[in-house]
Amino acid sequence: IVTYAGTSSGTATIGHGLSSTPEWIVIKNLTDSRSWFVYHKDLSGANYYLNLNSTSAQAVGDVFNNTAPTSSVFSIQDAGSLNTNGSGKNYLALCWHGVEGYSKFGSYKGNGSSNGTFINLGFKPAVIITKNISGSYRWNIIDNKRDPFNPAGRWLAPDNTDDEDAYTGSYPHDFLSNGFKLRANTTVLNKDNNTFVYAAFAEHPFIGDGTNPC
């Protein structure tokens, strides 16, 4: 978790403090009413981004200075959302990299079937966040606390103010010992030949960042 002040000097690099290159970054302007900007390693390139508060597909823009993060820094453009050219603006950046047995960030292709795509995580997930980056469809957050039994489908969407929707029958996941499997043909989760990015965290982590396995 990183906070930084706008540099007012064009593009900038920000130290992320992780032990390896970030695979998922979420940035919010804390001073002004701006969108949440998202970098994910499996977008179509470093010149693409998502907005956590929007259903929009991935978009092209020089948000992250058209530069992939490194093992020490991530890059930002000179813009009010990430690095204002004014003064007194502060920002929050949430940065993650995958940790074996603990977290994973990746992508999958939908197959448009009720016998849906299986995503191998190497652990049983506790929470999964997905976004269809091929079209304007909502974000989807599923977890094993609100849905302790398969199929899980009680979704929350950070792109709107709706309360929880219990779509267990319409948008089901199976939480498996080594990943998750989609069980419906939906635009939000499994539209045929669409690309989806995900972030997943383990129910019982096998390992921690820089530690030995349990």
Side-chain angles (χ1 to χ4, degrees):
I1 300 174
V2 179
T3 57
Y4 64 92
T7 66
S8 303
S9 60
T11 58
T13 56
I14 307 297
H16 52 68
L18 297 177
S19 59
S20 62
T21 302
E23 297 175 319
W24 189 32
I25 302 173
V26 181
I27 300 178
K28 181 69 175 70
N29 183 321
L30 298 175
T31 311
D32 297 332
S33 179
R34 302 277 185 166
S35 291
W36 294 76
F37 281 84
V38 178
Y39 165 87
H40 192 288
K41 71 179 183 67
D42 286 346
L43 298 180
S44 294
N47 59 328
Y48 285 79
Y49 68 92
L50 294 166
N51 291 126
L52 190 64
N53 55 303
S54 170
T55 61
S56 296
Q58 65 173 351
V60 176
D62 198 17
V63 172
F64 294 98
N65 197 28
N66 197 18
T67 304
T70 72
S71 59
S72 57
V73 300
F74 62 89
S75 299
I76 52 175
Q77 68 166 354
D78 183 10
S81 298
L82 299 180
N83 185 29
T84 186
N85 55 9
S87 59
K89 308 300 183 182
N90 296 301
Y91 301 82
L92 173 73
L94 310 174
C95 310
W96 292 265
H97 68 81
V99 177
E100 184 179 0
Y102 181 85
S103 59
K104 190 170 182 179
F105 309 95
S107 61
Y108 63 89
K109 285 280 190 181
N111 68 2
S113 170
S114 58
N115 183 18
T117 303
F118 166 70
I119 296 87
N120 187 351
L121 301 173
F123 55 79
K124 184 176 182 180
V127 60
I128 303 164
I129 303 170
T130 57
K131 176 69 176 78
N132 184 335
I133 66 172
S134 300
S136 295
Y137 308 109
R138 70 167 191 267
W139 291 79
N140 193 67
I141 302 175
I142 303 289
D143 64 76
N144 67 354
K145 296 298 184 287
R146 292 175 299 121
D147 264 319
F149 304 103
N150 283 326
R154 296 179 183 272
W155 63 266
L156 294 170
D159 51 75
N160 62 50
T161 60
D162 293 350
D163 56 4
E164 173 189 83
D165 274 323
Y167 282 127
T168 302
S170 302
Y171 300 113
H173 296 58
D174 277 348
F175 281 55
L176 306 175
S177 62
N178 60 343
F180 65 99
K181 185 174 176 64
L182 306 171
R183 294 294 186 183
N185 173 20
T186 69
T187 57
V188 174
L189 296 176
N190 193 32
K191 186 176 182 180
D192 188 34
N193 206 38
N194 277 204
T195 299
F196 300 76
V197 294
Y198 68 83
F201 297 88
E203 176 179 337
H204 296 297
F206 294 126
I207 196 168
D209 191 7
T211 66
N212 294 319
C214 296

